[in-house]
Amino acid sequence: MTADSFARCVELSGVSEDGNEFGWYFEDNYFDLFPYEKKRIKVESKCREGIIRAKAHYSKKISEINIHLS
């Protein structure tokens, strides 16, 4: 993940295809991200499909990525 400006206390969350928010494990959560810094985070889930959301604490914007595992 990367950001074009400083992102304070980025929180990651996951939602499965059936709306369940449990069962997601993020290697790192609640971290700062400096402009154009690249950060890789290992994600584990029992779900085969879902959405991962990233939101900085002081931002109204939420970024989402759809996950589809085969």
Side-chain angles (χ1 to χ4, degrees), residues 13-25:
S13 61
V15 179
S16 67
E17 64 275 6
D18 63 359
N20 189 358
E21 294 182 1
F22 297 101
W24 295 86
Y25 171 77

Side-chain angles (χ1 to χ4, degrees), residues 13-44:
S13 61
V15 179
S16 67
E17 64 275 6
D18 63 359
N20 189 358
E21 294 182 1
F22 297 101
W24 295 86
Y25 171 77
F26 299 97
E27 178 181 49
D28 194 0
N29 208 351
Y30 300 106
F31 53 88
D32 295 339
L33 192 60
F34 291 94
Y36 305 104
E37 172 188 12
K38 291 181 181 179
K39 184 160 183 82
R40 289 179 163 247
I41 298 158
K42 183 177 177 180
V43 178
E44 294 181 12

Side-chain angles (χ1 to χ4, degrees), residues 53-66:
R53 295 184 176 130
K55 182 185 179 303
H57 184 71
Y58 296 106
S59 176
K60 293 180 182 178
K61 182 178 179 182
I62 299 173
S63 297
E64 295 184 341
I65 185 169
N66 292 315

